Amino acid sequence: MRDLMSKPTLRLADSILLSLCFLANYSRDETAVRLTVDQQFFTCCILATADWCAETTLQLQDKLKQRVQSIDLNQEMELFYSISNSALSVLVQDVESTCDAALQAMMKINWNGVENVGDESPYVSAIRSHLRSSVPLIRDFFADRRKYFAHFCLKLATQLVNKFLGALFSFRCRPVGVTGAEQLLLDTHALKTFLLSMPSAESSINTKPPTVYTNVVVKTMTKAEMVLKVNRFVAFEQTVFKKSLLKRSSFFDYSRPGRTEEV
């Protein structure tokens, strides 16, 4: 009986999985452009369908167990959940990739040479612009499946912040001036503020994001702020130390009589 129940389920799973593999390979291709709107919609359909199949399979298993206790469809459920998770990863990777150029631009800035703290840096504006154009579309695709959109936002924000943290940690190998660290702190605050409102971006209805989403964004971005505050403190101490050395060196005058000028 298990074989009879499994074959239709597996045929549907195989069909969904083949479609998902095509999209996954397409998104990983370095020469390929971003997913088209139709492909994004198709991926959203795969995610929702696979998740529905998993939930329906669980209900079917419960019903069948009332008659046959040996029924076990856990493998089929795990397969469907795996497909939905893979579809979610494809969507997140597609949107996240639009911010890579901005993060690369951030890493190329000479933060030790920043002289003034101004408005947010251009890379922050670029990230916001990309997300404002991409996130609302995914939200519309999941208009009647809000939990999927919540999962999408959580995964997207988490991966973006981790990339941002990775960029900040790369500065440990390069000097960051006090002013540069202060500018990065301002940029971090601007990025955190936007991420907290990202689920409602370009929406006429400003809904409060789930608590778990807010907590993750605040926690991870606070870590970024702490890294920058440490960098700012180190840069400040180095500046004070250099000034102290210069002040001490001014006491030595090798041109005075009785001293031999060092060469």
Side-chain angles (χ1 to χ4, degrees), residues 235-248:
F236 176 76
E237 289 296 312
Q238 289 176 342
T239 302
V240 171
F241 180 69
K242 289 178 181 178
K243 289 182 178 179
S244 177
L245 286 179
L246 290 174
K247 187 175 181 180
R248 289 182 181 181

Side-chain angles (χ1 to χ4, degrees), residues 3-256:
D3 291 339
L4 292 176
M5 295 304 304
S6 299
K7 287 180 180 179
T9 305
L10 289 175
R11 281 199 297 269
L12 178 58
D14 289 341
S15 178
I16 297 175
L17 187 57
L18 287 174
S19 301
L20 182 59
C21 287
F22 167 76
L23 288 176
N25 291 332
Y26 183 86
S27 64
R28 285 197 299 265
D29 186 357
E30 295 181 356
T31 62
V33 295
R34 284 192 58 200
L35 297 178
T36 64
V37 174
D38 288 341
Q39 288 171 332
Q40 285 182 332
F41 177 72
F42 183 50
T43 306
C44 291
C45 291
I46 292 174
L47 192 160
T49 302
D51 190 70
W52 178 86
C53 288
E55 294 178 355
T56 304
T57 302
L58 176 60
Q59 297 171 7
L60 176 62
Q61 177 179 262
D62 293 340
K63 288 291 185 181
L64 292 175
K65 277 192 173 183
Q66 296 176 5
R67 295 179 177 273
V68 183
Q69 289 295 323
S70 60
I71 289 294
D72 183 4
L73 301 179
N74 286 327
Q75 289 185 356
E76 287 76 12
M77 284 188 289
E78 290 177 1
L79 175 60
F80 284 127
Y81 282 130
S82 175
I83 293 172
S84 64
N85 288 334
S86 297
L88 180 62
S89 296
V90 169
L91 286 174
V92 171
Q93 178 185 340
D94 181 58
V95 175
E96 177 192 356
S97 64
T98 63
C99 302
D100 287 345
L103 290 174
Q104 289 294 326
M106 165 197 171
M107 297 176 65
K108 292 179 181 179
I109 296 175
N110 178 18
W111 294 104
N112 194 40
V114 176
E115 298 180 353
N116 299 301
V117 178
D119 296 330
E120 64 184 31
S121 300
Y123 75 87
V124 177
S125 301
I127 291 175
R128 183 191 294 110
S129 176
H130 290 312
L131 295 179
R132 276 180 172 171
S133 63
S134 300
V135 172
L137 188 61
I138 304 298
R139 183 178 61 226
D140 291 343
F141 290 155
F142 287 136
D144 57 344
R145 296 289 187 273
R146 304 304 296 177
K147 71 173 184 177
Y148 302 140
F149 179 66
H151 293 160
F152 166 79
C153 288
L154 180 60
K155 190 175 181 66
L156 176 61
T158 300
Q159 293 188 187
L160 275 176
V161 173
N162 286 337
K163 277 192 173 183
F164 184 71
L165 276 171
L168 291 181
F169 280 119
S170 70
F171 294 146
R172 290 184 299 180
C173 302
R174 293 183 293 161
V176 176
V178 176
T179 307
E182 290 177 350
Q183 180 64 52
L184 281 168
L185 272 171
L186 186 149
D187 294 341
T188 302
H189 178 73
L191 184 59
K192 179 175 71 173
T193 301
F194 172 73
L195 288 177
L196 288 173
S197 63
M198 184 180 70
S200 300
E202 303 300 308
S203 174
S204 58
I205 303 175
N206 188 15
T207 57
K208 186 178 180 180
T211 302
V212 63
Y213 175 84
T214 302
N215 290 342
V216 167
V217 171
V218 171
K219 181 179 179 180
T220 51
M221 292 303 285
T222 299
K223 184 185 297 184
E225 290 172 339
M226 292 302 298
V227 170
L228 289 171
K229 287 178 180 178
V230 170
N231 285 344
R232 182 179 61 178
F233 175 77
V234 171
F236 176 76
E237 289 296 312
Q238 289 176 342
T239 302
V240 171
F241 180 69
K242 289 178 181 178
K243 289 182 178 179
S244 177
L245 286 179
L246 290 174
K247 187 175 181 180
R248 289 182 181 181
S249 65
S250 65
F251 285 103
F252 295 95
D253 184 1
Y254 295 105
S255 63
R256 287 186 302 171

